[in-house]
Amino acid sequence: MAMLKIVRTLAQFGFAAVTWHGIALDAVLPGSCASVVGKFIYLTVQSLYIVFAYYVLSFMASFLDLIGYPIRSLDRFAHWASAASGGFALFYSIMFYLVVYSDPKFHDIIREQEAQGIPFEYSQHWVHAPPIFMVPLDALLKEPEKVTQTVLKSSGLSYLPYFIAVGIEYIIVLHYNFNVNKVWPYPFMDDFTSPWQPWSPPLSHSQ
């Protein structure tokens, strides 16, 4: 049990360090669109900070438990938040590779940045790929009964306000920036024909 606690604590520290390195790498990259909120126009950047905060709190809960001074409320929150954080991390990782990285326009941006000596593609992989490995590992290291207890005690509906608030916030930021700068943050959004369509299939331009 003691060894598991040590492994869990070190893993949480490592997850936080990897996520922070992704934030630091992304911070020095030039943004590819005009933005009234800087890099926070990108869903990935917002998600990185959410996930980083979770890993820091989870590390603190694990460390305090390891040294014999557990904070039960913090531990319960870390187990409850593991599902929400993991969902966010997997979302921005999978959506990046399915929607953004697969877009030829994004590879044009990669070539432009790489031509200037900016390791753009490497940085994008470092930012987006780790959750594919970290989220399953985090789930394996969590105490399953605590995750079940916290989720059932609060009910799965307790996650809805969290996801709804983040979703509404991002859509507002996205639309406000479009109204100001007339540009979407992601290349695939250029096919949208009106600012109320960011999550709808692009309309065909064929005659």
Side-chain angles (χ1 to χ4, degrees):
M1 182 62 72
M3 181 57 67
L4 179 59
K5 288 184 178 181
I6 293 173
V7 172
R8 184 182 297 129
T9 303
L10 291 175
Q12 296 299 332
F13 180 83
F15 296 156
V18 169
T19 306
W20 181 253
H21 185 58
I23 291 173
L25 275 177
D26 189 78
V28 300
L29 295 177
S32 59
C33 85
S35 168
V36 294
V37 291
K39 287 294 191 69
F40 279 92
I41 192 63
Y42 299 104
L43 185 60
T44 294
V45 174
Q46 294 191 25
S47 299
L48 278 170
Y49 278 96
I50 291 172
V51 173
F52 175 71
Y54 158 71
Y55 283 135
V56 169
L57 292 175
S58 192
F59 164 72
M60 290 173 59
S62 295
F63 179 73
L64 290 171
D65 184 46
L66 177 64
I67 63 176
Y69 295 95
I71 299 178
R72 299 305 177 193
S73 58
L74 178 60
D75 186 61
R76 285 194 299 271
F77 177 79
H79 280 82
W80 174 87
S82 63
S85 173
F88 254 106
L90 286 177
F91 177 81
Y92 76 71
S93 179
I94 293 172
M95 291 300 290
F96 169 75
Y97 286 105
L98 287 181
V99 179
V100 179
Y101 192 72
S102 62
D103 188 343
K105 294 179 183 178
F106 185 72
H107 286 269
D108 291 339
I109 295 174
I110 291 176
R111 283 189 288 272
E112 291 172 5
Q113 300 292 344
E114 298 279 347
Q116 300 175 45
I118 299 170
F120 191 79
E121 186 167 18
Y122 163 80
S123 299
Q124 292 300 310
H125 288 307
W126 183 275
V127 167
H128 295 94
I132 297 173
F133 308 98
M134 293 195 305
V135 171
L137 285 173
D138 182 46
L140 285 173
L141 292 171
K142 279 286 183 290
E143 298 177 63
E145 66 279 4
K146 287 188 178 181
V147 175
T148 302
Q149 289 171 5
T150 54
V151 171
L152 291 179
K153 186 175 181 179
S154 59
S155 87
L157 293 177
S158 63
Y159 293 104
L160 281 179
Y162 171 72
F163 285 113
I164 290 173
V166 173
I168 291 174
E169 173 271 330
Y170 188 64
I171 290 174
I172 290 173
V173 169
L174 195 69
H175 288 180
Y176 179 70
N177 189 71
F178 181 85
N179 289 331
V180 172
N181 293 306
K182 306 303 179 187
V183 64
W184 297 114
Y186 296 103
F188 74 90
M189 291 181 173
D190 290 341
D191 292 325
F192 298 138
T193 58
S194 65
W196 54 267
Q197 281 188 299
W199 310 115
S200 303
L203 298 179
S204 173
H205 290 197
S206 60
Q207 298 298 322

